[in-house]
Amino acid sequence: MGAEFVQFSLTPILIGILASIACALPGNFLVLRKQALIGDAISHVVLPGIVVAFLITGSVAAFPMLLGAAGAAIVAVILIEAIKRLGNIEPGAAMGVAFTSLFAGGVLLLEQSDTSSVHLDVEHALMGNLESLIWFKAQGWSSLWDAEALAGLPDELIRIAVVCALVTVLTVIFWRPLKISTFDESFAQSLGLPVGAIGFGLVVTAAVAAVAAFDAVGSIIVIAMFICPPAAARLMTNSLERQVAWSLLFAALSAILGYVFAGYGPLWFGAQNAVSAAGMIAAVSGLILALACLFGPYRSRVGVGREEAV
Amino acid sequence: MDAFVQALFLGAGYNAALVGIGAALLGFAAGASGTFLFLRKRALVSDAVAHATLPGVGLAFIIMVALGMDGRSLVGLLAGSAVTAGIGLVLVEWMSRKTRLSEDAAIGAVLSVFFGIGIVLLTIIQTMSQGRQAGLEGFLLGSTAGMLFQDAVVIAIGGTLAVAAIFLLRRPMTLVAFDPEYAAASGYDVRKIDLAMMGLVMAVTVIGLKLVGLILIVAMLIIPAVTARFWTEKSDTVVWSAGILGAVSGYVGAAISASAPALPTGPIIVLVSAALFTLSLFFAPARGVAAAVIRRQRFQARVHHRQGLLALARQEPIHDKLTLKVLGRDGLIRPDGVATDAGRAMAAKVARDERRWDVAREVHHDVSLTGRYDGLTPIEDVFTPDEIAQFDDVIGKPTAVEGA
């Protein structure tokens, strides 16, 4: 745990944890509302978003990219809703139509435009580059108090920290309306809560978290973190408060263990090279979910009706 | 454009022709099998299946290389992808049945975790000496460049088998898709049929990996089915028209892609498919948006027509612009708002029908008849001439409307 750790591993782990938490937090509500796959849809449409942003601005600067991705996410959400309502199509299929078409458009644009000079490709979008987000200026733990070294922190860390804080604050502020409208929409309506706006706000918040996390860790972790930690947490408890706490713990655990296994795991087996940290973090979150499915105290469904049991 | 026409008639070279035929077959199989999934409201299960193929591809490559074979053998890679896709499918089923997680959470969990594992395997393969030129990333988005004849044969045979299986299983699968309870009551094993349905989807996904890649194969399964649904209400017709739509998208997409550089096959096929969907969404008869708008306008016109006539009968002034327009168009009022002869006659009829309904409600207590009163259904459609004559006896003889 010396200077090398601080320089090469500390920031990726921190970014991984923050990204995981930022996604898992809204993920709790999405899973409970049976909208878990919104995260999947959003992370697919991020690609066309950043390609369009690149074509307009001609640069791969972070801010236009984020704006493009967020715009694409909102377009996708509206498009899904429009297809659902105009065509009277069930949500899953509407989602499948919208995000695959947008993704195909993104890939086509990417192929058509000259992006060979910049680092913008599909694999990068999927896998992220967590390993490369090192803290170059760090000399050791003491750098944490060194203003000059701190200025050299990767931008991704700052951005994801801000977004993570934002998501947390929003969740805390809107806790009660979120909780009520998630569990009992009619009751929320009768209380005069703007149910539609709350739902849309949740999706937009999720989109912002997805986009920020995507920037740092790639879309594969984003989908995994939206679903796996909250789903595992759901099997641990019956209280929403405790579920959220569990999900955050699982998210952080996945990020840390995933990064460690990816970076150091191959060395234990005598291999030379690290494997994809993003992939490993997703795999660890799946392992946690598998354990929760097998041993979670609240894993089974209570009061299953006959027809549901078929 | 010339290049496109040429490609459309298989004139753009051997490889392009192979890709085109393969894409059409795959499109047919995907469209038809995706229909059952869509009707069963489980369209996105295909997303989980598709993403779950990636670790299988990686594992198959590693195993084949370890055994000293050529790791790029398509059959081997597809067999591997089928294994993990199957595992993913079983896990989705198991998770949504045995735990209290809903199916969408199970889908999301399986797709992200399997994909993550697949990515890990790909990074391992990249570090292997044989792995650098493996080109397994091609399975993410498909790559038709340099497709071999035997690859096309694999796709063709697989696609044909899938279509044959759909033909054989279409009855039970349709039944289960529409009404699982009824299917169960009729003695079908719903779980087995569901699994067969998913197995078919899995087969199509695996066959399509090389051509469109695992992310976009989902589109080929879902979009044609949703599109076909706009055009018909008959289940058999949906299945086969989805197949045809899929085949057309596949073939035309492949032709477009062959006609110019930098037009990747998979995305183009999906975009052709999406274009067909958009057209159908707006212009399909009965279920399309344009049809709905027209229906709504007609309905609006009928309501205004009737309200206007009632107002005429009651000698009330009409202010609503749309009402004036509708009545004027039908020649029932003059431009200055005064009723024409036809208008007065029609108004009298409407007013009388209104009173007939009042009487009908008193005489008949059959709500299934009187309940059909909505102001727009002609009374003649509900009651027989005898009955209407009976109502008229209660009301008395028709009297002339003022001014007639």
Side-chain angles (χ1 to χ4, degrees):
Chain A
M1 287 293 188
E4 204 175 89
F5 174 82
V6 177
Q7 198 171 16
F8 293 111
S9 296
L10 182 65
T11 42
I13 289 182
L14 276 179
I15 292 172
I17 293 174
L18 290 171
S20 301
I21 287 177
C23 291
L25 210 48
N28 276 296
F29 296 98
L30 292 176
V31 165
L32 287 171
R33 286 162 170 252
K34 298 197 179 11
Q35 289 183 326
L37 290 171
I38 278 280
D40 179 32
I42 291 172
S43 55
H44 279 88
V45 301
V46 158
L47 178 75
I50 58 171
V51 176
V52 169
F54 168 74
L55 290 180
I56 293 173
T57 63
S59 80
V60 280
F63 189 66
M65 294 279 129
L66 287 178
L67 219 55
I74 291 170
V75 166
V77 170
I78 293 171
L79 205 59
I80 291 169
E81 199 61 28
I83 293 176
K84 216 159 71 182
R85 293 209 183 146
L86 290 179
N88 199 10
I89 293 166
E90 52 118 357
M95 221 183 264
V97 172
F99 81 75
T100 53
S101 305
L102 287 171
F103 187 79
V107 176
L108 179 63
L109 275 180
L110 195 58
E111 295 281 326
Q112 289 276 302
S113 56
D114 181 29
T115 48
S116 50
S117 56
V118 293
H119 191 57
L120 190 65
D121 59 58
V122 176
E123 277 121 57
H124 172 219
L126 289 171
M127 305 177 199
N129 58 344
L130 192 53
E131 297 88 342
S132 69
L133 301 175
I134 51 175
W135 187 9
F136 199 64
K137 285 196 175 165
Q139 311 281 324
W141 288 101
S142 57
S143 297
L144 284 176
W145 288 271
D146 181 356
E148 199 186 330
L150 282 175
L153 278 171
D155 292 341
E156 282 85 352
L157 179 62
I158 318 282
R159 274 199 294 274
I160 192 67
V162 170
V163 169
C164 189
L166 180 76
V167 171
T168 312
V169 169
L170 283 175
T171 312
V172 171
I173 293 178
F174 292 106
W175 180 265
R176 261 185 65 81
L178 260 178
K179 184 174 174 179
I180 296 172
S181 69
T182 297
F183 283 103
D184 193 340
E185 196 167 288
S186 332
F187 178 58
Q189 236 156 7
S190 71
L191 289 181
L193 291 173
V195 177
I198 293 172
F200 189 71
L202 175 65
V203 172
V204 172
T205 311
V208 170
V211 169
F214 161 84
D215 170 45
V217 298
S219 56
I220 190 61
I221 300 193
V222 173
I223 313 174
M225 287 306 143
F226 266 128
I227 299 173
C228 291
R234 173 94 181 95
L235 305 177
M236 299 300 291
T237 169
N238 266 339
S239 123
L240 181 64
E241 288 77 6
R242 261 173 263 152
Q243 179 190 320
V244 170
W246 275 112
S247 76
L248 298 185
L249 175 71
F250 288 152
L253 205 61
S254 312
I256 297 168
L257 289 179
Y259 187 82
V260 171
F261 289 162
Y264 304 99
L267 305 180
W268 304 334
F269 293 102
Q272 297 293 313
N273 298 287
V275 298
S276 158
M280 195 53 100
I281 291 174
V284 171
S285 76
L287 192 66
I288 292 175
L289 176 59
L291 292 175
C293 281
L294 290 173
F295 308 111
Y298 293 90
R299 62 184 179 277
S300 57
R301 197 170 295 178
V302 278
V304 183
R306 234 163 201 276
E307 57 280 294
E308 283 172 86
V310 171
Chain B
M1 197 64 209
D2 274 353
F4 169 62
V5 173
Q6 218 174 24
L8 208 54
F9 293 104
L10 300 175
Y14 176 69
N15 204 330
L18 275 185
V19 172
I21 295 171
L25 272 169
L26 175 69
F28 191 90
S33 52
T35 307
F36 296 110
L37 212 55
F38 166 59
L39 295 177
R40 189 91 169 89
K41 297 191 166 51
R42 298 177 72 188
L44 285 176
V45 175
S46 61
D47 206 17
V49 174
H51 283 77
T53 56
L54 191 61
V57 171
L59 278 177
F61 183 86
I62 292 172
I63 291 173
M64 284 193 289
V65 167
L67 293 177
M69 295 166 11
D70 177 15
R72 283 172 296 174
S73 147
L74 185 61
V75 178
L77 295 177
L78 294 189
S81 71
V83 171
T84 48
I87 296 173
L89 189 57
V90 171
L91 281 179
V92 170
E93 297 261 325
W94 177 79
M95 229 189 281
S96 47
R97 215 157 31 83
K98 290 284 176 195
T99 76
R100 63 181 182 182
L101 296 173
S102 56
E103 187 167 50
D104 67 323
I107 291 172
V110 165
L111 88 83
S112 57
V113 172
F114 274 64
F115 198 70
I117 296 172
I119 300 278
V120 169
L121 290 170
L122 286 190
T123 49
I124 292 177
I125 290 170
Q126 270 165 2
T127 64
M128 293 164 53
S129 52
Q130 299 93 329
R132 293 205 185 277
Q133 70 279 24
L136 295 187
E137 287 80 11
F139 284 101
L140 291 178
L141 295 169
S143 63
T144 49
M147 200 164 91
L148 301 172
F149 179 67
Q150 64 220 53
D151 297 351
V153 169
V154 170
I155 293 174
I157 293 178
T160 315
L161 286 180
V163 173
I166 293 164
F167 185 76
L168 291 176
L169 292 172
R170 69 192 187 287
R171 297 301 309 157
M173 288 201 299
T174 315
L175 204 55
V176 170
F178 274 106
D179 196 342
E181 277 86 17
Y182 177 72
S186 318
Y188 287 103
D189 188 337
V190 173
R191 269 201 66 205
K192 269 196 191 139
I193 295 168
D194 256 344
L195 273 181
M197 208 185 271
M198 297 303 156
L200 207 54
V201 168
M202 195 182 87
V204 169
T205 309
V206 167
I207 299 163
L209 278 187
K210 177 79 184 166
L211 209 55
V212 292
L214 60 91
I215 300 175
L216 291 175
I217 186 72
V218 179
M220 292 188 77
L221 284 161
I222 299 178
I223 300 179
V226 180
T227 309
R229 185 69 187 81
F230 277 109
W231 295 89
T232 171
E233 304 284 332
K234 291 170 94 172
S235 60
D236 269 0
T237 324
V238 179
V239 174
W240 302 125
S241 35
I244 291 167
L245 283 168
V248 169
S249 317
Y251 191 75
V252 173
I256 296 176
S257 148
S259 67
L263 293 175
T265 316
I268 296 285
I269 293 176
V270 175
L271 290 175
V272 171
S273 193
L276 290 174
F277 164 79
T278 313
L279 279 178
S280 309
L281 173 65
F282 285 103
F283 302 113
R287 284 174 64 96
V289 172
V293 169
I294 292 171
R295 233 183 352 256
R296 200 191 117 77
Q297 271 176 353
R298 286 207 183 129
F299 179 74
Q300 208 176 18
R302 282 176 66 195
V303 171
H304 279 267
H305 183 98
R306 171 172 181 275
Q307 294 306 112
L309 286 174
L310 280 178
L312 284 182
R314 291 180 194 137
Q315 310 270 306
E316 287 160 3
I318 301 171
H319 298 293
D320 189 89
K321 284 207 179 94
L322 183 60
T323 311
L324 290 171
K325 203 178 114 190
V326 169
L327 293 180
R329 191 189 61 195
D330 295 346
L332 300 176
I333 55 171
R334 299 201 308 249
D336 60 0
V338 178
T340 62
D341 285 346
R344 276 195 296 274
M346 195 90 95
K349 163 83 170 79
V350 169
R352 186 165 189 83
D353 282 353
E354 207 60 14
R355 293 191 57 199
R356 283 168 170 168
W357 277 109
D358 288 341
V359 176
R361 270 189 292 272
E362 281 169 28
V363 177
H364 275 276
H365 292 285
D366 185 353
V367 181
S368 67
L369 288 178
T370 54
R372 285 182 63 191
Y373 172 80
D374 57 3
L376 294 176
T377 311
I379 194 165
E380 289 85 358
D381 288 3
V382 182
F383 296 105
T384 61
D386 293 0
E387 286 173 312
I388 293 174
Q390 208 185 334
F391 305 150
D392 283 347
D393 287 345
V394 181
I395 302 169
K397 286 233 177 277
T399 51
V401 176
E402 190 82 13

